[in-house]
Amino acid sequence: MIRRKSKIQLSITALLLPVIVLSMVSSFFLFKEVSTLKSDKSKVDQILFMRQYEYELLRTNNAFSEAYPIPQTINSRADFDKWFNVLWSRVQSIHLGKIGKIIIKEGFNAVDAKKSIETIDSILYTKEAKTPQQLMRVRNQFNQLTSASHAFQQVRDALYQETQLNKQNTIYNYYRNSFFLSSLALILGLTVLFFLYRNNNKLLNMQAKLEERVSKRTQALREKNQLLNKEIQERYIVEQALVKSQQETELAKEQAIQQLNYDPLTQLASRILFSDRFNQSLIRARRERTKVALLFLDLDRFKYINDTLGHSTGDSLLKNCAIRINRCLRAGDTAARFGGDEFAVILPEISGINHIEQVSQRILHELSLPMELSGQQINISASIGISIFPEDGNDDETLTRKADIAMYKAKEQGKNRFQFFTEQMETESNRRRHLENALQLAVKDQDFNLVYQPIIESNTGKIIAVEALIRWQDQQGEQIPPSLFIPLAEEQGLIIKIGDWVLKTACQQASQWQQMGLDIVMSINLSYKQFQRNDIFNTIYTTLADTGLEPQRLSIEITESLLMVDDIKIKQQLELIKNLGVCLSIDDFGTGYSSLSYLNRFPIHTLKIDKSFIQDLAINSENSDLVKGILSLAESLNLKVIAEGVENQRQADCLLANNCQYFQGFLYSKPLEAKAFEQFMLSESPFFLNAPASVENHSSL
Ligand code: C2E
Ligand code: MG
Ligand code: MG
């Protein structure tokens, strides 16, 4: 709207300007015309000049009349002369003066006038007497002069009047135009003023609004500014925090590098640093044609300690081991920890096999020294696998793999020893890998079965219990011994599924035998891993309920390592199992730990003496002392004892002589299939090992 009005205003102003200009032009011309009126002094001078001329002509003429032919008075002639002279001068001045020139220009015939004067002069101013003709002629000359003057004046006055009229018309026109244009300019000016006034009002309104908006905007800007300031402050704080975090990041980076290169627990080299140093050693050995040995070390039974004594004790043990390993090394050797209980040692520039054997032996010795951790004395050992550059490989990967294989072999061969890598081991290692895969498949397909080995009561010669032992025949039909695949299953976490299957199958079988009227207890091996889940009681309880087996007819075999730690949860589970009526036996008793304090803490019924003590019982007096000791300890603690692995009569006799109550071994029966065991049970008469002294209720075994 305003824009439209502004356009109109502009158009009007644009119109106004030429109007004013035109009006001024018109006024200019009017002024010019009027000024001609004012400044026409020459005309007045002309008129006056001509009037004076006429007057002088008239007086001269009159003076002539009075002086000629007869002078009226004495002075008439003089008077005439005076006036004639004046006239003479006037006519002369017409030719010579300024006004005269204008008059001549306007058509006054000065030549004739002069001729007339000269004629008069020539007639009058001679000495001869003047004739009337001459006087007449003079009079005529005067009359001519007068007529010429009149004619000139008439013509000139007419002209003058015409000019004046034209001038008036022109002035009128200019005046009218000026008036019209001025009026128009006035109207236009007023219109512009009106619009200006209105626009001004609007502009003032707009200005007020604008000012209000500006003030609001300023306020908003101020607020924004404050916000910005606040933000800047906050940013500054954030920036500070960033700087701090950057510093922390730098520190963390350094720590990360440190952690990357060094094992945070033991401060030994990490796998990365190890790999770097190993490669450096190999490069140098290649150049200098020397040998490098790699020792791969794994603590024996560390998992048991860690799981049972707790992780912090496990950590302390690892730190301690690291210190001990380092003690056995030279300055240029590198010890590293690969995680868990795996260590590696690089021995560069070795002088010979002896050198490696000495270092390995020293490490084994150092590690085997008892450790005092968490108030307990702990005995640990390690198994070391050794590979040598360049004999066993050219690169770190191959050498590490081969040392690892050798280490496994050392473990297999009874642990607490070192073993050099041989090509034969690689084949075995491959077999182990193959076994791992096959085991996974077997667990998936439940490809196992159970065999049962009787336990005989020495007094009665009766089979009072049976131990369920798992069997696995792989896809190629090869029997894989449990001592091989159970630790593997424990490592891989498969033992839970296997254990559940064993428990269920054995309980079902025992329940069947219970229904058949066979009075025996089913003894089942449980892995320590099954206790770590804290639901073993529920599993046993549900299995018993599902199979209908009486709890008194179930016995579970656990290893010493499970009881080594004062773990309240394990204790609770064992208490619950015991309260259910299930028997608890310690399997492989004597192979584990020196401390026997756990026997008091846990609800144990039976000890199963490990077969390693039984095997050379008759020949090894140390072992027979140990067995005797176990038997008397069991007696004092009111525990039952089963001797495992009784293979010959000599062993049986020896055990009988020491009042061992229960026997298990090939002497009586190998583990049998369920059906074979049933027939064996039903057909066999009691094993009379000795004269039965008393008959005990065996259901508590
Ligand atoms: P274990 O529980 O101590 O079982 C006794 C082992 O000694 C059995 O070996 C048995 O066949 C063997 N044996 C019995 N009498 C004699 C004998 O007179 N002479 C000799 N040399 N050996 C005898 P097996 O069946 O190979 O089992 C080995 C180990 O595997 C078992 O030792 C047990 O720790 C574990 N195991 C077996 N079955 C299971 C199972 O179902 N679950 C768990 N967790 N472990 C099992
Ligand atoms: Mg057993
Ligand atoms: Mg055993």
Side-chain angles (χ1 to χ4, degrees):
M1 191 69 182
I2 287 172
R3 203 176 283 176
R4 226 182 107 207
K5 285 192 174 160
S6 298
K7 269 186 184 175
I8 296 171
Q9 244 173 270
L10 264 176
S11 314
I12 294 170
T13 315
L15 212 65
L16 183 63
L17 278 172
V19 168
I20 290 171
V21 170
L22 282 174
S23 167
M24 280 175 75
V25 169
S26 179
S27 299
F28 171 73
F29 283 112
L30 177 66
F31 174 75
K32 204 178 156 198
E33 285 305 315
V34 172
S35 72
T36 57
L37 281 179
K38 188 190 164 208
S39 65
D40 215 359
K41 193 172 164 277
S42 66
K43 287 268 192 258
V44 175
D45 290 345
Q46 264 181 68
I47 291 166
L48 288 175
F49 187 88
M50 286 307 292
R51 287 233 178 108
Q52 195 64 29
Y53 170 63
E54 250 185 73
Y55 172 73
E56 286 163 4
L57 195 64
L58 188 71
R59 291 296 299 264
T60 309
N61 204 10
N62 284 344
F64 176 73
S65 299
E66 285 178 12
Y68 292 91
I70 302 154
Q72 302 258 323
T73 64
I74 309 164
N75 294 326
S76 290
R77 286 283 171 101
D79 201 27
F80 172 75
D81 291 340
K82 187 187 87 185
W83 281 110
F84 185 72
N85 279 333
V86 170
L87 189 63
W88 175 257
S89 303
R90 170 88 42 201
V91 172
Q92 284 295 323
S93 75
I94 288 173
H95 283 282
L96 302 170
K98 192 179 154 195
I99 298 170
K101 277 182 186 161
I102 299 168
I103 294 168
I104 291 165
K105 207 176 164 191
E106 286 197 359
F108 182 73
N109 198 341
V111 178
D112 282 358
K114 195 180 171 187
K115 268 181 192 167
S116 292
I117 291 291
E118 281 168 356
T119 309
I120 295 167
D121 186 64
S122 63
I123 296 169
L124 290 181
Y125 292 97
T126 51
K127 287 183 178 164
E128 296 104 52
K130 283 48 174 182
T131 66
Q133 285 86 11
Q134 282 178 314
L135 287 176
M136 184 53 72
R137 206 176 150 202
V138 170
R139 188 155 302 280
N140 282 341
Q141 286 302 316
F142 274 123
N143 285 341
Q144 263 179 24
L145 281 170
T146 308
S147 302
S149 169
H150 276 300
F152 168 74
Q153 282 201 54
Q154 265 178 1
V155 170
R156 204 211 49 199
D157 283 354
L159 259 171
Y160 183 69
Q161 270 177 13
E162 199 183 320
T163 316
Q164 287 302 100
L165 273 173
N166 277 339
K167 213 172 252 183
Q168 274 175 15
N169 270 341
T170 313
I171 288 170
Y172 170 76
N173 282 339
Y174 282 135
Y175 178 74
R176 190 195 57 201
N177 289 349
S178 277
F179 180 73
F180 171 73
L181 288 168
S182 301
S183 303
L184 194 62
L186 186 69
I187 291 165
L188 290 172
L190 283 173
T191 315
V192 171
L193 262 177
F194 171 72
F195 276 114
L196 274 175
Y197 174 74
R198 279 192 52 186
N199 274 6
N200 194 40
N201 271 357
K202 281 185 182 165
L203 278 171
L204 281 174
N205 278 344
M206 274 169 69
Q207 191 185 348
K209 279 182 188 167
L210 212 69
E211 269 170 13
E212 196 184 314
R213 273 175 64 186
V214 167
S215 117
K216 274 184 186 169
R217 188 100 184 100
T218 313
Q219 180 64 23
L221 275 171
R222 200 172 296 130
E223 279 166 15
K224 225 173 194 176
N225 201 29
Q226 278 173 353
L227 274 173
L228 263 172
N229 275 342
K230 208 176 148 200
E231 207 168 288
I232 286 167
Q233 274 178 358
E234 281 170 4
R235 283 209 177 172
Y236 176 74
I237 293 165
V238 169
E239 229 166 73
Q240 293 288 94
L242 264 173
V243 168
K244 203 175 158 209
S245 97
Q246 216 168 5
Q247 285 168 348
E248 282 169 3
T249 312
E250 285 295 317
L251 199 76
K253 223 197 278 179
E254 273 172 34
Q255 283 173 349
I257 290 169
Q258 169 77 11
Q259 274 182 11
L260 215 64
N261 284 330
Y262 294 94
D263 169 42
L265 182 69
T266 60
Q267 295 310 315
L268 293 183
S270 69
R271 192 184 273 269
I272 293 170
L273 184 61
F274 163 84
S275 180
D276 190 48
R277 293 220 181 137
F278 194 26
N279 279 313
Q280 294 301 324
S281 305
L282 293 180
I283 292 167
R284 209 173 318 123
R286 244 175 246 129
R287 201 174 47 231
E288 293 167 9
R289 296 183 184 280
T290 53
K291 287 177 193 281
V292 180
L294 172 63
L295 274 56
F296 201 91
L297 190 148
D298 190 281
L299 301 181
D300 300 326
R301 288 192 303 186
F302 173 74
K303 280 192 176 61
Y304 289 104
I305 295 171
N306 209 25
D307 292 342
T308 52
L309 294 183
H311 288 254
S312 70
T313 310
D315 285 353
S316 307
L317 184 135
L318 289 170
K319 277 194 231 172
N320 223 306
C321 288
I323 295 166
R324 291 183 183 200
I325 292 169
N326 257 337
R327 246 186 250 157
C328 308
L329 305 180
R330 301 169 301 180
D333 301 340
T334 300
R337 178 170 167 244
F338 280 5
D341 59 341
E342 285 180 352
F343 296 86
V345 174
I346 308 165
L347 302 177
E349 295 166 29
I350 46 163
S351 46
I353 297 295
N354 277 354
H355 176 180
I356 306 170
E357 284 178 345
Q358 275 167 17
V359 176
S360 304
Q361 200 55 61
R362 215 178 311 145
I363 292 174
L364 289 178
H365 172 72
E366 278 286 338
L367 292 177
S368 68
L369 297 173
M371 283 182 206
E372 187 78 22
L373 293 175
S374 312
Q376 295 190 56
Q377 187 174 301
I378 293 173
N379 289 306
I380 189 101
S381 63
S383 301
I384 301 175
I386 304 162
S387 63
I388 301 168
F389 169 84
E391 282 88 333
D392 299 325
N394 253 322
D395 57 282
D396 67 330
E397 210 177 295
T398 313
L399 288 160
T400 311
R401 185 170 56 79
K402 290 189 172 174
D404 187 29
I405 293 170
M407 186 275 294
Y408 268 100
K409 190 70 191 171
K411 278 209 189 281
E412 261 175 46
Q413 287 177 346
K415 302 172 180 163
N416 192 24
R417 65 187 63 216
F418 62 85
Q419 180 69 53
F420 286 93
F421 171 81
T422 62
E423 286 307 324
Q424 163 80 16
M425 286 176 199
E426 185 140 60
T427 325
E428 284 173 18
S429 159
N430 289 339
R431 185 174 148 69
R432 184 185 148 86
R433 243 195 329 278
H434 168 77
L435 205 67
E436 280 171 4
N437 295 336
L439 184 62
Q440 281 189 348
L441 275 179
V443 171
K444 206 171 118 234
D445 301 342
Q446 296 199 335
D447 232 353
F448 305 102
N449 71 313
L450 288 180
V451 289
Y452 303 92
Q453 188 177 32
I455 296 168
I456 291 100
E457 189 182 42
S458 61
N459 282 344
T460 58
K462 280 164 97 181
I463 300 170
I464 48 94
V466 64
E467 180 176 5
L469 296 160
I470 194 166
R471 292 291 176 262
W472 171 35
Q473 195 170 18
D474 73 4
Q475 304 269 306
Q476 284 72 42
E478 192 187 338
Q479 279 288 346
I480 317 292
S483 54
L484 205 69
F485 73 83
I486 291 290
L488 209 65
E490 281 173 343
E491 267 173 41
Q492 298 191 325
L494 296 168
I495 193 69
I496 304 296
K497 279 191 178 165
I498 295 176
D500 286 351
W501 178 85
V502 169
L503 186 69
K504 193 174 144 211
T505 314
C507 285
Q508 274 171 349
Q509 187 59 68
S511 172
Q512 261 184 41
W513 287 336
Q514 179 184 281
Q515 280 163 25
M516 285 166 67
L518 298 181
D519 187 15
I520 45 166
V521 171
M522 176 64 76
S523 197
I524 295 168
N525 294 286
L526 289 190
S527 161
Y528 72 101
K529 288 258 176 190
Q530 287 172 275
F531 279 86
Q532 280 174 353
R533 290 211 320 175
N534 285 331
D535 65 348
I536 189 68
F537 167 73
N538 286 337
T539 313
I540 291 173
Y541 182 83
T542 328
T543 312
L544 286 173
D546 289 350
T547 55
L549 182 70
E550 292 166 8
Q552 290 76 15
R553 291 189 179 273
L554 180 66
S555 170
I556 59 165
E557 297 185 16
I558 52 176
T559 47
E560 278 175 285
S561 58
L562 183 70
L563 310 176
M564 278 310 290
V565 65
D566 200 4
D567 188 332
I568 189 79
K569 283 186 185 153
I570 291 176
K571 195 172 174 200
Q572 276 171 356
Q573 303 247 23
L574 289 171
E575 290 283 356
L576 285 169
I577 294 167
K578 181 218 149 189
N579 291 341
L580 204 62
V582 176
C583 286
L584 297 175
S585 306
I586 306 287
D587 204 356
D588 305 336
F589 185 78
T591 53
Y593 300 86
S594 49
S595 168
L596 293 172
S597 62
Y598 67 86
L599 289 176
N600 275 327
R601 294 200 309 270
F602 293 97
I604 310 296
H605 292 98
T606 312
L607 303 178
K608 291 186 81 175
I609 304 176
D610 189 69
K611 56 179 179 289
S612 59
F613 301 115
I614 309 297
Q615 266 164 10
D616 47 1
L617 191 61
I619 19 169
N620 187 333
S621 64
E622 211 177 276
N623 267 358
S624 62
D625 286 351
L626 213 134
V627 170
K628 273 184 207 165
I630 293 172
L631 285 166
S632 69
L633 173 87
E635 198 181 354
S636 66
L637 292 172
N638 205 19
L639 298 171
K640 309 212 173 318
V641 176
I642 300 173
E644 281 186 319
V646 183
E647 289 181 346
N648 54 52
Q649 197 56 51
R650 248 196 340 228
Q651 292 163 348
D653 290 344
C654 191
L655 286 162
L656 278 169
N658 286 293
N659 292 326
C660 181
Q661 300 137 311
Y662 303 100
F663 297 157
Q664 180 183 354
F666 295 165
L667 179 65
Y668 311 106
S669 170
K670 290 209 163 187
L672 299 168
E673 297 279 335
K675 279 277 160 241
F677 178 77
E678 269 171 38
Q679 282 171 6
F680 181 77
M681 230 354 234
L682 296 169
S683 62
E684 281 295 319
S685 49
F687 299 96
F688 286 105
L689 313 167
N690 200 358
S694 64
V695 176
E696 255 191 85
N697 183 1
H698 55 257
S699 64
S700 62
L701 182 75

